[in-house]
């Protein structure tokens, strides 16, 4: 990817991100590069020009390295023995793929497009070469891994604990925080996933997710039309996520 280049390909969940908002930017440009070195570094990233279709999985070869979603939305999922879909996460423009580890004997997880999506990729072999050549790249990769592990652990804790109301509120706030980290609008969100995927991720029923979203809408916390979401009262959502709505009202 080229520094500062604007990409026109977009998914329905939001605009395609620029290189500066990309999860791989600190690897591609870990330090200030001169002209010839910059041109060589730009050639490291393989850009996907053909978009993934909704429902299409990411090519397994692309997971043998680091990939970043340039536009659209993906889900990370696998299927139980009885055919039930288990969703382990969602990915949005600028976020990195390929950092997860699956225990031996567990069915391999797949990344599947929720809508038309573009993915950029750096093979692990090339990353290892850059890490040997450039200490700044090595530190950038290590820092990225530390941050991703911390963020993912907190995200899973939010998704698995508390009441349905707490889980849905925390999920919406997480979407906003992830967009804010990429300098995108945090209060206006186009949901790439449907209620079925949200329910599968939060281990709730579709009816519970729909009912909870309706409650938030009636309470003035959100506006929701189809998949277009607007956060109206972040403080109230945070209270719902923490399970202290009554306490804050009394305070």
């Amino acid at each position: 990817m080229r520094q500062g280049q604007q990409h026109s390909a977009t998914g329905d969940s939001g605009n395609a991100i620029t290189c500066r908002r990309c999860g791989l930017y600190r690897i591609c440009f870990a330090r200030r590069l001169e002209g010839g070195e910059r041109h060589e570094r730009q050639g490291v990233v393989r850009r996907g020009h053909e978009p993934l279709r909704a429902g299409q999985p990411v090519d397994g070869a692309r997971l043998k390295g680091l990939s970043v979603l340039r536009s659209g939305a993906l889900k990370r999922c696998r299927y139980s023995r009885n055919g039930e879909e288990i969703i382990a996460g969602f990915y949005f423009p600028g976020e990195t793929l390929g950092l997860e580890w699956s225990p031996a004997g567990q069915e391999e997880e797949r990344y599947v497009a929720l809508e038309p999506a573009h993915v950029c990729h750096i093979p692990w072999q090339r990353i290892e070469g850059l890490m040997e050549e450039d200490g700044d790249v090595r530190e950038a990769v290590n820092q990225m891994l530390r941050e991703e592990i911390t963020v993912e652990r907190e995200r899973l804790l939010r998704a698995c604990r508390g009441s349905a109301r707490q889980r849905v509120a925390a999920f919406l706030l997480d979407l906003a925080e992830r967009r804010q980290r990429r300098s995108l609008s945090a209060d206006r969100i186009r949901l790439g996933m449907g209620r079925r995927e949200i329910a599968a991720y939060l281990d709730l029923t579709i009816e519970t997710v729909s009912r909870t979203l309706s409650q938030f809408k009636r309470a003035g916390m959100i506006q929701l039309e189809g998949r277009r979401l607007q956060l109206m009262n972040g403080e109230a959502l945070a209270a719902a996520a923490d399970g202290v709505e009554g306490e804050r009202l009394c305070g």
Side-chain angles (χ1 to χ4, degrees), residues 3 25-34 37-38 41 130 133-138 140:
Q3 185 179 17
Y25 179 81
R26 54 182 141 178
I27 297 176
C28 298
F29 301 100
R31 58 186 171 82
R32 191 174 187 85
L33 303 176
E34 300 302 326
E37 193 177 10
R38 179 182 299 279
R41 186 66 58 84
L130 288 174
E133 298 167 6
D134 192 330
D136 291 322
V137 171
R138 182 167 57 253

Side-chain angles (χ1 to χ4, degrees), residues 146-161:
R146 288 193 295 267
E147 290 177 1
E148 290 290 338
I149 290 171
T150 300
V151 170
E152 187 63 21
R153 181 189 299 119
E154 180 61 26
R155 186 172 294 142
L156 287 174
L157 285 174
R158 290 182 182 181
C160 297
R161 71 184 180 194

Side-chain angles (χ1 to χ4, degrees), residues 13-25:
S13 63
N15 296 328
I17 50 93
T18 64
C19 285
R20 285 188 179 276
R21 294 174 178 172
C22 168
L24 298 182
Y25 179 81

